Amino acid sequence: MFSPCVRFSHCHQVLNVLFVCIPQNEGKRNLSLGGHVGFDSLPDQLVSKSVTQGFCFNILCVGETGIGKSTLMNTLFNTMFENEEASHYQNGVYLRPRTYDLQESNVQLKLTIVDTVGFGDQINKEDSYKPIVDYIDTQFENYLQEELKIKRSLFNYHDTRIHICLYFIAPTGHSLKSLDLVTMKKLDSKVNIIPIIAKADTVSKSELHKFKIKIMSELVSNGVQIYQFPTDDEAVSEINSSMNAHLPFAVVGSVEEVKVGNKTVRARQYPWGVVQVENESHCDFVKLREMLIRVNMEDLREQTHARHYELYRRCKLEEMGFKDTDPDSQPFSLQETYEAKRKEFLGDLQRKEEEMRQMFVNKVKETEAELKEKERELHDKFEQLKRMHQEEKRKVEDKRRDLEEEMNAFNNKKKMAAETVSLSQPLKKDKDKKK
Amino acid sequence: MYFVLVIIPSHYNHCTNRKCLSVCFFLQQRNLEGYVGFANLPNQVYRKSVKRGFEFTLMVVGESGLGKSTLINSLFLTDLYSKDYPGPSQRIKKTVQVEQSKVLIKEGGVQLTLTIVDTPGFGDAVDNSNCWQPVINYIDSKCEDFLNAESRVNRRSMPDNRVHCCLYFIAPSGHGLKPLDIEFMKRLHDKVNVIPLIAKADTLTPEECQLFKKQIMKEIQEHKIKIYEFPDTEDDEDNKLIRKIKEKMPLAVVGSNVVVEVNGKKVRGRQYPWGVAEVENGEHCDFTVLRNMLIRTHMQDLKDVTNNVHYENYRSKKLAAVTCNGVDTTKTKGQLTKSPLAQMEEERREHVMKMKKMEAEMEQVFEMKVKEKKQKLKDSEAELERRHEQMKRNLEAQYKELEEKRRVFEDEKANWEAQQKILEQQKLDASKTMEKNKKKGKIF
């Protein structure tokens, strides 16, 4: 029994080639060959390698709860991906990625379907787009981090960047909702958007035509850049340009099989008829499948890497302060830039340290001053009290002196009186004696 | 467990070297009923790659006169070096140069920009020490260019001029490798894919060639030289072919610019009096093997190995040097898995933590000192209060004492004064009585 093989994407390799081969005719000679050399097998070699490594593809489905995202995925890939129905009572929007390993012929595809659960359910939908943008940015960030590592293995890396965002438009028949415009505007510079009209079997043909025109004109007038199928490759330019005119695709999804005539097809059975999924006059499902999977899958991956990821990377690096040096001066040197950045960074850290120390020194000084002030106050108080005491003491002394003086005076007086008495006494005594 | 039935759709006909139909057992594989269409993905890749065109840089190294230019012309069936664009061999060089020629060739709708890098003067001097240095410098500078282009903020086109393959020409001495050969290959085997070739193989008989090859491979293994290895594929048949090729390494080649007629056919070959050594005859030399391997089957792999192994080695060494500037070398081991930016982030975080700790410590010390001082102040204040109280009490006592004294004194005074008054009164009375008596004639 074979064990399940997990293959990783060859994204970076192929797209490395993208950056690599833009013919510059400087000093190049065109030579003719004298025979069959054999390098016309190069594309085969490349394809063979990428098939061995396997491919990966990541789809983001944005749409309200119940609009048919899971059903459409099941229909597109002819398989029942497990899925619980989401409730309408989510607090916010959250993204649920699920990865599956599919195989067809000898081509292995690692498919990741990211569902936006709870989109459009809240009363206040102002921030609904944020989790989506954050998720997309996170995948870019992860890739960027891997790309910037010193020891990296990009050819092994499981690429989780979103290659296509299918935006499900509710089949009101009138126009886009403001939530749709806001969300798509926020996403158009980050991901390839293909808008589709969901549950298209509720819109009649004439309404559909008007609806499509209205939607496209609203998108254009609001400056929303949706994904254009590429028309530069002659092999597919015709079919792509004709499909571009059919956007947005009005799709119907179904995994139920209904017998129509003597065939069994996937369809939705109504009392008034059967809507066949793969009937091009009933809906655009076949067109969507053709464009998304059979013709432009590789281009979607390329655009994600070459345009959206590069934009993200550029913004991120500029944010971090990286800049390409002036093309007139020395050529850009990664080492010098990193070294300069590093010096700046270390200088920054040093400065912070200094600042903190300085702050502390100041704090200490302040507090010292405060405490000194208090000390002085205390000292003053002390002095004051001392003086007060001195004052009081003096008063007491004065009083004492007064008392002493008085006592002395009194004593003197007493003495004098006593002397006088003693003087007069002897007289009297004499007198008495004389008697 | 799911069956996956494999069906090849009709428009999947570009890829000819794969098996057509297989039935496989797979766990965890989804059962796809009906055709989805992503099996067309390889076609899309094919289409896009043809539109982009391809690039390949081939370096040839060897002493003069080993037939490098002739071999290139033979390989690509074109006159890369001709009268108008003479090869480096026609020009006399004094020192080792590195020269590149870029040509654009087309075949079957596929465009290839081929760059041939030649090294005239290699090994020709008397003293050949460091003759490999210009070659290494060239390879490194191309990697550096690519690294810088890849690291720009605005990346537009990243032309890949890295050397994808280096054909090293060994002189057909028949004995073994020369010291220069060994030295060169040792220095370059981890920078570029090295494929050693025995040049001018028509000077060796098949037996001599066999021995020579064995000797060379032995020496290569002895010196642990890593020449380019053909990767194993899953295909058993391909693996058999690969094993056959491996047994023939190093390939013995013959090149020729001249077409001669042999048995009515026009072939490239070298005409000798004793016969014609045909370039494309597998029994005469391994040229066809080389061409098949280099161009028809492994060109892409050579590019991939250059990109994924040699270039990554160069890059990680270069960036490690940058990050580890000023960083303690004992810490570098674990840091190679991060990008320099992530590392700076981590350093910043570490620093923030360090600062926090420092701050907390300083704060603590500060608080303690402040508390001390405040306590001291409080104590002084308390002391002051106490003394003040004491003094106050003292004074109060003194006052009281004084008051008491005064009271006593006053009392005494009052008493005495009262007494004096009585005495005075008495005296007065006495003198009055005396007066009376005097008046009475009691005077003697």
Side-chain angles (χ1 to χ4, degrees), chain B residues 246-308:
Chain B
K246 282 192 179 168
E247 284 166 23
K248 290 198 180 168
M249 291 290 278
L251 302 172
V253 293
V254 175
S256 171
N257 283 328
V258 174
V259 178
V260 286
E261 196 161 320
V262 174
N263 294 339
K265 272 200 301 176
K266 283 200 186 283
V267 289
R268 277 193 182 230
R270 290 177 62 73
Q271 176 114 60
Y272 291 108
W274 46 89
V276 176
E278 293 167 45
V279 166
E280 285 171 12
N281 189 328
E283 289 171 22
H284 291 194
C285 69
D286 299 325
F287 174 83
T288 327
V289 177
L290 175 67
R291 185 174 59 196
N292 285 345
M293 179 275 288
L294 182 63
I295 300 174
R296 295 181 186 179
T297 52
H298 287 88
M299 200 177 231
Q300 185 61 36
D301 186 65
L302 285 164
K303 288 170 66 170
D304 290 340
V305 173
T306 307
N307 185 47
N308 298 338

Side-chain angles (χ1 to χ4, degrees), chain A residues 34 49 148 310 314 382 431, chain B residues 77 155 304 339 384 434:
Chain A
K49 242 191 205 274
L148 290 178
E310 282 300 308
R314 187 162 58 235
F382 182 68
K431 266 192 179 161
Chain B
L77 292 177
R155 302 193 292 198
D304 290 340
S339 69
L384 188 72
M434 241 168 106

